Amino acid sequence: QSLFNQIDSSGSGSITKSDLESAVTTAGGSKKAADALWSRLDPNNTGNVNAQQFIQNLSPPGFQQDTST
């Protein structure tokens, strides 16, 4: 199971800031760390992030994700 799917516990196809905060704090991280990560995942402040945005915003520059599967 992918990290995105683990965070998207409802299976909706997108995650919210609350979903991310819950996952990060459950894993031992802080709410502050989750908020910093959310800022990177959702730079336009839309309120949710889908799997494609999750991968794009966490990938290093120049990284090409194989989406053919």
Side-chain angles (χ1 to χ4, degrees):
Q1 186 179 23
S2 74
L3 177 59
F4 179 86
N5 288 337
Q6 290 176 27
I7 297 170
D8 180 23
S9 57
S10 68
S12 66
S14 66
I15 59 172
T16 65
K17 186 175 183 179
S18 177
D19 293 332
L20 184 67
E21 286 176 352
S22 177
V24 169
T25 56
T26 297
S30 68
K31 184 178 180 298
K32 184 176 179 179
D35 291 346
L37 179 56
W38 183 257
S39 293
R40 183 171 175 184
L41 289 173
D42 187 23
N44 297 326
N45 202 27
T46 63
N48 59 45
V49 173
N50 65 31
Q52 182 179 358
Q53 292 168 312
F54 183 83
I55 292 166
Q56 286 176 339
N57 292 335
L58 287 182
S59 299
F63 178 79
Q64 294 294 318
Q65 173 70 22
D66 179 8
T67 58
S68 62
T69 56

